[in-house]
C-alpha cells in the first residue's frame, strides 16, 4: 500500500466517524422520546405472564412499535398464527409507502441494504423524510437506524427488568396499551378533525365484536380498511361528476 493509499484510508475513516456522529445527533432526541414506550412494552410483557426475555427478543426481531404491543396480547392469548399474520400485514402495510421516499439508494451493499429495509420504522422514516437525506451517506443513515434499534431493545429490556420488580398486587398495567392507542387516536383526530372517521372505526369494532370476539381485531381492521376505500371511491366519483 502506498503512502497515498494510507492517507486516503485515514481520511475515509475520519469521514465515516464524522457521519456516524452526525447520525447520533439526529437520532438521539427520537431515542429520548420513546423511553416511556420502551419501558411500558417491557413491563407489559412481564405482566402478561410472558417470560421477561421475550421483550428484548420482540424488540430486536419484530421491531415494529405498535405491532409489538399487539403481539404481546396475542401471544399471551395464544392467538392463531393466521390472525397474527393478518394483523401484522394490516398494521405494517403503511411501510410499503415509506420505501417510495426513503433514501435507500444511498445505502450500498446487500447486507446494509437488507438491514436498512428491516429497520425502516416510523421514526427512521420521519428522521429521513427531508430533501437533504438524498445526499446523506450510508454511514449516517445506518447510524440513525442502528442507534434507534439498539436504544429500543435496551429500553424494552430495562422495562422487562423493572416489570419483574413490580409486585403482582399492582393491577391495571395491562390498560397501558389501551391508553396508548386512545392517546394516538386523540392525536390523529386533532390533525384531521374528522368526526365520521372515529365513528366509523367504533362501528367497525362493535360489529366485529358481535361477529367474533376471538377474531375481533382482524375483522374490525378489515371492515375499517374496506370502509375507507369505499368512502374514497365514492368521494372521487362525486368530485368527477361535480
Amino acid at each position: 500500500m502506498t503512502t497515498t493509499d494510507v492517507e486516503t484510508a485515514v481520511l475515509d475513516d475520519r469521514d465515516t466517524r464524522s457521519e456516524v456522529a452526525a447520525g447520533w445527533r439526529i437520532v438521539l432526541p427520537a431515542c429520548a422520546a420513546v423511553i416511556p414506550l420502551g419501558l411500558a412494552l417491557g413491563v407489559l410483557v412481564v405482566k402478561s405472564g410472558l417470560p421477561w426475555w421475550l421483550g428484548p427478543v420482540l424488540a430486536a426481531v419484530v421491531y415494529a412499535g405498535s405491532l409489538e404491543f399487539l403481539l404481546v396480547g396475542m401471544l399471551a392469548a395464544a392467538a392463531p398464527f393466521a390472525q397474527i399474520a393478518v394483523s401484522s400485514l394490516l398494521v405494517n402495510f403503511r411501510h410499503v409507502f415509506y420505501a417510495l421516499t426513503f433514501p435507500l439508494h444511498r445505502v450500498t451493499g446487500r447486507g446494509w441494504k437488507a438491514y436498512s429495509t428491516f429497520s425502516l420504522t416510523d421514526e427512521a422514516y420521519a428522521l429521513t423524510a427531508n430533501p437533504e437525506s438524498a445526499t446523506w451517506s450510508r454511514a449516517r443513515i445506518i447510524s440513525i437506524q442502528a442507534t434507534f434499534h439498539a436504544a429500543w431493545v435496551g429500553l424494552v429490556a430495562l422495562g422487562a427488568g423493572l416489570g419483574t420488580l413490580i409486585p403482582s398486587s399492582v393491577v391495571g398495567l395491562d390498560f397501558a396499551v389501551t391508553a396508548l392507542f386512545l392517546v394516538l387516536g386523540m392525536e390523529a383526530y386533532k390533525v384531521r378533525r374528522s368526526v365520521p372517521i372515529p365513528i366509523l372505526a367504533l362501528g367497525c369494532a362493535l360489529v366485529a365484536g358481535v361477529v367474533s370476539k376471538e377474531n375481533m381485531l382482524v375483522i374490525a381492521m378489515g371492515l375499517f380498511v374496506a370502509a375507507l376505500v369505499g368512502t374514497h371511491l365514492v368521494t372521487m366519483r362525486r368530485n368527477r361528476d361535480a
Side-chain angles (χ1 to χ4, degrees):
M1 181 178 292
T2 64
T3 303
T4 303
D5 291 338
V6 172
E7 291 175 348
T8 302
V10 171
L11 289 175
D12 288 344
D13 184 53
R14 287 178 180 174
D15 288 343
T16 299
R17 283 186 289 178
S18 174
E19 286 296 287
V20 169
W24 289 345
R25 288 192 293 271
I26 293 172
V27 76
L28 285 180
C31 294
V34 297
I35 289 176
L37 283 178
L39 295 177
L41 178 59
V43 171
L44 179 65
V45 168
V46 175
K47 292 305 172 185
S48 297
L50 299 171
W52 72 268
W53 50 263
L54 191 59
V57 169
L58 281 176
V61 178
V62 179
Y63 191 40
S66 55
L67 177 61
E68 294 171 53
F69 281 91
L70 291 175
L71 274 179
V72 171
M74 288 191 282
L75 291 174
F81 178 76
Q83 181 176 346
I84 294 176
V86 173
S87 299
S88 302
L89 175 64
L90 292 174
V91 172
N92 284 339
F93 188 73
R94 67 188 184 282
H95 287 199
V96 172
F97 301 100
Y98 288 174
L100 297 177
T101 54
F102 182 75
L104 190 61
H105 63 283
R106 301 292 300 171
V107 181
T108 55
R110 290 183 179 179
W112 291 118
K113 196 178 287 289
Y115 176 74
S116 186
T117 303
F118 162 73
S119 57
L120 181 51
T121 60
D122 296 335
E123 293 78 7
Y125 175 76
L127 293 171
T128 57
N130 57 73
E132 292 78 16
S133 67
T135 61
W136 286 356
S137 67
R138 180 185 71 185
R140 183 181 300 199
I141 296 171
I142 293 296
S143 173
I144 291 172
Q145 294 183 281
T147 302
F148 190 82
H149 193 179
W152 179 250
V153 174
L155 288 169
V156 175
L158 179 60
L162 293 174
T164 60
L165 302 177
I166 298 176
S168 58
S169 57
V170 177
V171 296
L173 289 174
D174 52 342
F175 187 73
V177 181
T178 305
L180 169 66
F181 283 98
L182 281 174
V183 171
L184 294 178
M186 292 169 63
E187 293 299 320
Y189 172 75
K190 290 179 181 177
V191 173
R192 299 190 64 87
R193 296 288 179 183
S194 173
V195 175
I197 290 180
I199 293 178
L200 181 63
L202 177 62
C204 292
L206 293 175
V207 171
V210 172
V211 173
S212 174
K213 292 182 180 179
E214 293 76 14
N215 301 295
M216 178 181 174
L217 180 62
V218 174
I219 296 174
M221 294 185 72
L223 287 174
F224 187 58
V225 171
L228 289 179
V229 172
T231 303
H232 178 67
L233 293 176
V234 170
T235 303
M236 285 183 60
R237 184 172 181 177
R238 286 179 178 174
N239 292 336
R240 188 177 59 202
D241 296 340

